[in-house]
Amino acid sequence: MTTSSVDREVQKRLGEHAIRYTTGRRAVVAALAGSDGPKSASELHGEIGSRVPLSSLYRSLTILEEAGVVIPHYGAKGLTRYELAEWLTGHHHHLVCLDCGAVEDVEIPGAQETQVRDLVDSISAIASFTPINHDLEVEGRCARCA
Amino acid sequence: MTTSSVDREVQKRLGEHAIRYTTGRRAVVAALAGSDGPKSASELHGEIGSRVPLSSLYRSLTILEEAGVVIPHYGAKGLTRYELAEWLTGHHHHLVCLDCGAVEDVEIPGAQETQVRDLVDSISAIASFTPINHDLEVEGRCARCA
DNA sequence: ATCGATAATGAGAATCGTTATTATAATCCT
DNA sequence: AGGATTATAATAACGATTCTCATTATCGAT
């Protein structure tokens, strides 16, 4: 999905929720759309420029999260990294490098994704749990660090 | 694995690293061994009793993490929950409640675990990634919050 | 057992990511 | 334009975690 079509989809979604798509929020979405992985508030702050204060950035992220546009990803040292929700980027899983800390997105073929979903359902049933999302996180060493 | 055999294994492991197995650390390990899922520092503080100050608890957790006895699990609001490493508890996956934030461990039958491992291998191969651990995290609503 | 060296603890202050507050500015509606 | 509503900026507050350092416990050698 192109950055501009993401922009359009987000605008539509926010419109449905009667939430304005301001330049600050546009900047966040654009930064995330052009990103190769989840970004923290301070990383976004660096990219967007420090004219936008952190507090506004956090508020934008909260609003976008509530609207289902971005998804939080919690990491070490209390750091929360955000990425665009899967309806904008496609469903994927995460490869977390134990050496360099980078998080890589991977899409998997439909047949295997179906397998994952079945597993998720059967795991959830064991504990009377109602599944909403799932994420098969693989920790290891990325191609560069191997 | 029984609580006392966990204790013995941990003692052995710490001995190899020339780290003392003090009563404070024993208390943390015992609390985690008797738990059905990851616990945060303040939850442990509540269980162990407030005679042990939080700062000591955090230090114990850090030491135990460095020794590979305990594994951190990062969650919303900057909360880190700890659980015993899998060589002590056996391999399992996680159900994360989006409402109350509780994390529950689930073991899955061997046949399905094999499926998960195969998926992990095939996902990793896509990105020339060397898998070490994996965790199928299911987010949703727990039985209490449903 | 005792002494000295080393490691662990306790108590509190400091740090840092994040959230709340509040006053100001921008936007929408009629 | 005028009034209501919503977003922003600047800063204070908050809470989980970490740091500091003086005190205490533990280990090894004598």
Side-chain angles (χ1 to χ4, degrees), chain B residues 1 6 9-10 13 29 32-33 64-72 82-92 94 105 133:
Chain B
M1 206 180 232
V6 165
E9 288 297 319
V10 171
R13 166 70 67 106
V29 170
L32 290 177
L64 291 170
E65 182 187 347
E66 284 167 1
V69 171
V70 144
I71 297 291
Y82 290 87
E83 64 181 346
L84 294 180
E86 298 199 333
W87 62 275
L88 289 165
T89 60
H91 179 61
H92 57 262
H94 293 112
D105 292 349
N133 295 320

Side-chain angles (χ1 to χ4, degrees), chain B residues 36-38 73 81 83 93-97 100-105:
Chain B
D36 58 342
H73 196 54
R81 291 162 197 273
E83 64 181 346
H93 297 278
H94 293 112
L95 305 176
V96 182
C97 181
C100 67
V103 182
E104 199 174 339
D105 292 349

Side-chain angles (χ1 to χ4, degrees), chain B residues 9-32:
Chain B
E9 288 297 319
V10 171
Q11 177 149 40
K12 201 170 80 181
R13 166 70 67 106
L14 293 186
E16 288 161 8
H17 289 240
I19 294 168
R20 293 180 193 152
Y21 196 24
T22 61
T23 55
R25 291 165 190 177
R26 243 176 241 274
V28 170
V29 170
L32 290 177

